[in-house]
Amino acid sequence: MKLNKKDLLVLGASALFPMGSALAATASGGSVNFNGSVVTSACAISANSANIDVDMGEVRTATLAAAGSEASVAKTFSIALEDCAIADTSASTEENPVAATTVSVTFSGTPDANDANSLAAGVNGGTASAQNVAIRLYDEQGNVVKLGEAATATPLRKGSNTLNFSAKYYSPTGGATAGDASAVATYTVTYS
């Protein structure tokens, strides 16, 4: 069989690009990381509550000019608990403990130098940090939640529970200056 130039060109091209090319079979991928834990507590903390971001927004220095002044608007946030089990604790003993019926939250963080019950804001210490500004935490009833002290215990319901809190900028000494007023708090949930 005699091949002409056109047949050779087609044959050569098909050898370079075979049908169902190996390039088409190439795949790329990645990894999936699963994080979590199994707990023995009365509830599980919702994945959405593991790391909470609260946008405090902006507050004018004039609002925090006087000692004891605070922002007029509180910024709310919640800690969600899931799969809560409750029981009658009246028969609880050390040998046979019964699941908790109340929960309390304790917040910790860097306290303000002038008010140890509030979070120091702008604690990065740089020249861009706001001065004379703290962040005060409140429970759902509007009571101040002091750093390092458990908030008022809340009765648990079977299933899901939401613990509501809020935060406000606060100036214990007045004379707030402009700048970064961020802070970080951690929380511990205690069942009893």
Side-chain angles (χ1 to χ4, degrees):
M1 174 171 153
K2 190 171 185 183
L3 299 175
N4 63 29
K5 287 183 182 180
K6 186 176 178 184
D7 291 334
L8 285 174
L9 184 60
V10 170
L11 186 60
S14 65
L16 291 173
F17 303 105
M19 297 296 242
S21 169
L23 295 176
T26 302
S28 57
S31 63
V32 178
N33 298 309
F34 299 93
N35 297 305
S37 60
V38 177
V39 296
T40 59
S41 58
C43 302
I45 296 173
S46 168
N48 295 334
S49 294
N51 294 298
I52 302 168
D53 291 317
V54 180
D55 184 355
M56 295 296 290
E58 294 181 349
V59 174
R60 297 176 342 107
T61 56
T63 302
L64 302 175
S69 58
E70 64 182 12
S72 58
V73 178
K75 304 299 180 175
T76 60
F77 63 99
S78 299
I79 298 171
L81 305 175
E82 301 173 336
D83 194 26
C84 296
I86 61 170
D88 177 11
T89 59
S90 61
S92 183
T93 66
E94 194 167 312
E95 296 79 32
N96 294 318
V98 177
T101 58
T102 63
V103 61
S104 60
V105 177
T106 304
F107 292 95
S108 59
T110 303
D112 183 73
N114 296 300
D115 180 3
N117 295 319
S118 300
L119 284 168
V123 294
N124 63 23
T127 57
S129 294
Q131 301 298 312
N132 303 319
V133 178
I135 296 176
R136 195 178 255 183
L137 302 172
Y138 298 88
D139 65 15
E140 191 169 20
Q141 289 74 38
N143 301 312
V144 173
V145 177
K146 298 177 181 179
L147 288 182
E149 293 183 21
T152 303
T154 302
L156 280 176
R157 293 180 311 277
K158 183 177 174 120
S160 297
N161 290 259
T162 303
L163 308 175
N164 297 308
F165 297 93
S166 62
K168 288 184 181 183
Y169 281 127
Y170 163 72
S171 182
T173 61
T177 64
D180 173 59
S182 302
V184 175
T186 57
Y187 70 88
T188 305
V189 176
T190 304
Y191 304 96
S192 58

